[in-house]
Amino acid sequence: MLAVDMTGDAVKAKNGSMVAYDGEMAFKKLSGGGEGIRGMVTRRLTGEQMTLMEVKGHGTCWFADRAAEISLVGLQGDKLYVESSNLLATDGGLRTGTSFTGVRGASQGNGLFTTTIEGHGQAAIMSDGPAVLLRVSPQYPLTVDPGAYVAHQGDLRQSFQSGVTFRTLLGEGGGEAFQIRFEGDGLVYVQPSERNTIAGDV
């Protein structure tokens, strides 16, 4: 559960994620993932669905979703890439958008686009079990199962690699048919649980 203390400021949170509050709070649904009409159109075209609400007031507001683990990510003008289903809340001043992910999103069953968050402030991301933060450096690239991927930040390049072989088609594969390879310099958040993906069915 995430407790947010507010003194007249605002946060953006996943619609319906408020579980309790004290003091005075106002709730307002945001269109297009908080990006207005243009964002709403973009998200409809890209298939990256996200419904947010703005919470403003004085007091403490508690947020949660399906008892998921919550990690806070601090942004200092940089950009965070996160699956919309893994985003719980952000500071009101952070900007959200969409970014093309290509085959990575398709392998996860999440579409070809993902949510971006940028600016100065904190974002709360969710994971199925405690998220693990893994560093990627030019000397040490990282390969991740699409079902365990949660988010990433930094100067990273993604590529999609397939382990599909004739043995996979015969049902003798190791169950890891597709992976995401990250190269560059940055951080990747993974969860100790795999969501159902298209890749997991191969």
Side-chain angles (χ1 to χ4, degrees), residues 46-108:
T46 62
E48 177 68 359
Q49 299 299 319
M50 180 175 65
T51 307
L52 293 180
M53 60 180 176
E54 180 186 67
V55 184
K56 184 182 288 188
H58 293 79
T60 302
C61 193
W62 288 268
F63 301 95
D65 185 34
R66 293 168 288 120
E69 296 280 343
I70 301 169
S71 301
L72 290 176
V73 180
L75 297 175
Q76 301 295 325
D78 50 331
K79 186 181 289 189
L80 175 71
Y81 298 81
V82 59
E83 295 303 325
S84 60
S85 59
N86 292 102
L87 178 61
L88 178 63
T90 74
D91 283 336
L94 289 175
R95 299 179 306 281
T96 55
T98 53
S99 177
F100 181 69
T101 60
V103 288
R104 174 176 70 73
S107 71
Q108 292 175 247

Side-chain angles (χ1 to χ4, degrees), residues 98-168:
T98 53
S99 177
F100 181 69
T101 60
V103 288
R104 174 176 70 73
S107 71
Q108 292 175 247
N110 289 333
L112 298 176
F113 291 79
T114 195
T115 294
T116 59
I117 305 165
E118 58 185 318
H120 291 80
Q122 288 189 314
I125 60 175
M126 300 180 292
S127 56
D128 186 3
V132 177
L133 186 57
L134 302 175
R135 173 160 290 284
V136 181
S137 68
Q139 297 82 14
Y140 297 99
L142 179 71
T143 303
V144 175
D145 184 289
Y149 169 84
V150 174
H152 75 273
Q153 63 188 135
D155 183 19
L156 293 177
R157 298 177 307 282
Q158 300 174 63
S159 59
F160 184 69
Q161 49 188 51
S162 168
V164 175
T165 64
F166 185 67
R167 291 174 62 87
T168 307

